[in-house]
Amino acid sequence: AERGAVRRPRREPRPFLTSGARGRAAARREASMAQSGVLLTREPAPQAVPVSELPMKVYEAALNTGPDSSCGLATAGFRTAKYLTEEWHQHNYAQYHQAFADRDGSERCRHESQSLAACTAALAQRTQEDSTTKLGQRLQDTHFWKAELQREIEDLTAETDLLAAQKVRLERALDATEVPYTIATDNLQCRERRQPADLVRDQVETELLKEVELIRNVQELLKRTLMQAVNQMQLNRDHKQICEMDWSDKVETYNIDDKCGRYNNQSTNIQFHPSSSKFEESASTPETWAKFSHDNIYRAERERLASINLRLLIDNILHDTAEDLHLQCAAVDEAFAKRCEEMEDAKHKLEHHLKKTLKEIGDQENNIAALKQAIKDKEAPLKVAQTRLYDRSFRPNVELCRDPAQFRLISEVEELTESIESLKQKLLEAEQSLRNLEDTRMSLEKEIAVKSNSIFIDRQKCMAHRTRYPVVLKLAGYQ
């Protein structure tokens, strides 16, 4: 070559490759260049170098030859020529860009994931808190109706018991009328055996006939009233059963909602129920739910008011009939007394003890009234304590604390309850004592009748039975 000619860069000799190896190497070069995104479309630009003599070649070693060289199948798939600097830079830039793009996409995905996770966590917490609040409100509504039903059940139970007591009074009064009726008819029959001289229609016989007619009318009235009481008691029990069933459902629902309200994300007894998030076809609405309990309470209150009115009517009937029988009995006794003045001395001795017994009965009755008033006086403090406990049970969340006031209120209720129970026990003893006194009084009256029966025929056949005439308390059904 001439000195001024431009020299091409000297290329290293390529290793010897077979035709198959050359084809595979070319395919791998094209794939590698396609992956790196760089295509060689032209030869590298020639480089100008200053003209100078080439040094003498001393020794040229054989390249890519021998068993340890890189020629042959060991270099299959690798480019045999060296890359250009531009290719190297382009390859690095492509790697930089790809790394930046991947990092940017990953960072953006990471921020979006964190934002979405925070948003969904806040939404889930708000939703759960709202659901818990709704459950708490539902618990309050359920507790309100449950308390109303329980109060109505207790009132209806108490009313039914009072009506049952009135029914017992009616039965006792009805049974008690048999004695006056027997006495009056027996007196009439005994007076029919009087001697012709005395067999006259006097004032005693007239009063006895009035007494028989009065007793018959009283018995008919008591039987009709007794039937009404039985029917009303059945109605009370039926409505009480309806309220109890509703109350039982409310209690079960309250326990379920209370358990649901206590669930949280750390609960161990929670699990998936995919099919539970649907409305039941037979489910009620809040309006129909409240109306159902309201109607039950309304009907129960209506029957309770009817029962109260019936009790008042029974009390008035018993009082009036007992008073009428007593007045008629007094009229008959007065007529008999005019004919039985001879036995006043023996009668006065027994009446002395009877008077003391009656005085003791009056004192005992006053004692019973005082005990009942004492029991009634304890009801207001008990209501106050129980109302305080009831109102304090609505303290929200952690405010529902077992503080000293709570323990003192509970102990106050227990003390008042014990006091009432003690007074009731003493009341039972006083009533038993009163019954014993009444028994003693009856014995004295019978003894007076026995004494009177031993002297005159009228006393023996008539006044002996009339001394067994029931007292006003027995005619009123109290005994």
Side-chain angles (χ1 to χ4, degrees):
E2 296 179 355
R3 291 182 179 274
V6 178
R7 296 179 181 271
R8 293 183 179 274
R10 186 169 177 270
R11 302 180 66 179
E12 294 294 333
R14 297 182 179 180
F16 175 74
L17 299 174
T18 62
S19 60
R22 285 197 298 271
R24 287 193 296 273
R28 289 189 177 91
R29 283 199 306 275
E30 292 175 0
S32 176
M33 292 170 64
Q35 291 176 359
S36 63
V38 179
L39 297 177
L40 292 179
T41 58
R42 59 185 177 81
E43 292 292 333
Q47 299 179 1
V49 295
V51 179
S52 62
E53 275 189 12
L54 293 175
M56 179 183 287
K57 183 177 181 180
V58 178
Y59 179 76
E60 185 176 355
L63 299 177
N64 295 331
T65 61
D68 297 330
S69 66
S70 60
C71 74
L73 295 177
T75 60
F78 294 92
R79 184 174 176 177
T80 58
K82 292 184 177 180
Y83 292 95
L84 300 178
T85 305
E86 293 179 0
E87 294 177 340
W88 181 76
H89 284 295
Q90 290 178 5
H91 176 73
N92 290 337
Y93 291 153
Q95 295 295 325
Y96 301 157
H97 179 75
Q98 185 65 34
F100 175 77
D102 292 342
R103 289 196 311 274
D104 184 67
S106 176
E107 184 177 359
R108 183 171 60 256
C109 180
R110 181 163 48 83
H111 286 303
E112 290 177 356
S113 299
Q114 293 175 355
S115 177
L116 180 61
C119 182
T120 54
L123 178 61
Q125 184 178 2
R126 288 196 305 271
T127 304
Q128 189 179 85
E129 291 176 353
D130 187 60
S131 298
T132 305
T133 303
K134 296 296 183 184
L135 282 173
Q137 296 174 357
R138 187 62 176 174
L139 280 174
Q140 293 179 359
D141 295 341
T142 305
H143 185 272
F144 169 77
W145 286 112
K146 181 170 67 70
E148 290 295 319
L149 286 168
Q150 185 174 1
R151 179 182 60 80
E152 188 60 34
I153 290 170
E154 292 174 354
D155 293 344
L156 202 56
T157 302
E159 177 59 32
T160 304
D161 293 339
L162 293 175
L163 186 58
Q166 294 292 77
K167 173 178 171 290
V168 173
R169 285 184 59 193
L170 282 172
E171 293 173 348
R172 290 176 178 173
L174 184 60
D175 294 338
T177 56
E178 295 294 333
V179 176
Y181 184 76
T182 303
I183 291 175
T185 55
D186 183 72
N187 287 342
L188 289 172
Q189 291 175 2
C190 289
R191 290 179 64 82
E192 289 295 327
R193 296 194 295 268
R194 290 178 295 173
Q195 296 298 322
D198 294 335
L199 191 59
V200 294
R201 189 178 183 88
D202 56 3
Q203 186 65 27
V204 176
E205 186 173 353
T206 303
E207 295 296 333
L208 284 173
L209 291 173
K210 291 181 180 179
E211 187 177 29
V212 170
E213 185 65 23
L214 176 63
I215 293 173
R216 287 175 180 173
N217 294 333
V218 168
Q219 287 178 343
E220 293 296 328
L221 179 61
L222 292 179
K223 288 178 181 179
R224 292 196 303 269
T225 309
L226 182 61
M227 186 60 64
Q228 292 180 2
V230 171
N231 295 334
Q232 186 61 48
M233 287 176 62
Q234 185 62 40
L235 290 175
N236 290 350
R237 292 191 178 99
D238 292 341
H239 286 82
K240 174 176 171 289
Q241 184 179 7
I242 293 173
C243 291
E244 285 177 344
M245 292 176 64
D246 192 5
W247 177 85
S248 177
D249 294 340
K250 291 290 187 296
V251 170
E252 184 176 359
T253 301
Y254 185 88
N255 294 334
I256 292 174
D257 286 347
D258 182 64
K259 180 178 70 174
C260 292
R262 297 177 187 275
Y263 284 147
N264 54 45
N265 297 333
Q266 286 74 36
S267 299
T268 58
N269 54 344
I270 56 176
Q271 57 184 345
F272 290 105
H273 296 281
S275 61
S276 62
S277 58
K278 64 179 181 180
F279 290 103
E280 298 292 340
E281 295 181 357
S282 61
S284 62
T285 62
E287 291 78 12
T288 58
W289 174 80
K291 186 177 182 300
F292 179 76
S293 297
H294 177 269
D295 292 343
N296 290 336
I297 293 174
Y298 173 76
R299 287 190 291 267
E301 287 181 348
R302 183 178 60 189
E303 295 300 331
R304 184 165 58 85
L305 291 176
S307 179
I308 292 174
N309 295 330
L310 182 59
R311 279 197 301 110
L312 295 176
L313 178 62
I314 291 173
D315 190 71
N316 293 332
I317 289 174
L318 290 174
H319 179 269
D320 294 340
T321 55
E323 187 68 21
D324 292 341
L325 291 174
H326 178 69
L327 291 176
Q328 186 60 32
C329 176
V332 175
D333 289 342
E334 183 180 358
F336 270 109
K338 293 178 181 180
R339 306 178 68 90
C340 302
E341 294 178 355
E342 293 82 359
M343 297 301 297
E344 290 294 332
D345 293 336
K347 181 180 177 182
H348 285 314
K349 292 181 181 179
L350 294 175
E351 284 181 346
H352 176 70
H353 297 282
L354 181 61
K355 183 177 180 180
K356 290 185 177 180
T357 304
L358 290 173
K359 183 179 181 301
E360 184 61 27
I361 289 174
D363 295 338
Q364 191 62 261
E365 288 177 347
N366 294 332
N367 182 40
I368 290 174
L371 287 174
K372 290 181 179 179
Q373 184 62 35
I375 293 173
K376 186 176 181 181
D377 292 340
K378 298 297 185 299
E379 292 178 358
L382 183 61
K383 289 179 181 178
V384 171
Q386 291 180 350
T387 304
R388 288 175 176 176
L389 287 173
Y390 175 77
D391 291 342
R392 284 173 63 84
S393 66
F394 288 99
R395 291 176 294 170
N397 300 326
V398 74
E399 298 300 326
L400 191 62
C401 179
R402 298 180 180 178
D403 49 6
Q406 187 76 6
F407 286 105
R408 189 64 190 96
L409 286 173
I410 293 174
S411 62
E412 181 183 0
V413 171
E414 292 176 353
E415 291 172 3
L416 290 173
T417 304
E418 292 177 359
S419 300
I420 291 174
E421 292 298 325
S422 300
L423 290 172
K424 287 182 178 179
Q425 183 63 33
K426 187 57 68 176
L427 178 62
L428 292 176
E429 296 176 2
E431 290 175 346
Q432 182 61 38
S433 176
L434 179 61
R435 286 191 291 270
N436 295 335
L437 289 173
E438 291 291 343
D439 295 337
T440 302
R441 184 175 68 86
M442 290 294 295
S443 299
L444 291 174
E445 290 179 349
K446 292 178 182 179
E447 187 64 21
I448 292 173
V450 169
K451 294 298 183 183
S452 301
N453 189 40
S454 63
I455 301 175
F456 297 103
I457 295 177
D458 283 348
R459 291 285 184 179
Q460 292 175 351
K461 302 298 181 179
C462 299
M463 293 304 295
H465 292 135
R466 302 204 65 79
T467 54
R468 296 183 179 89
Y469 203 95
V471 295
V472 177
L473 293 177
K474 192 167 186 178
L475 291 173
Y478 289 111
Q479 296 181 355

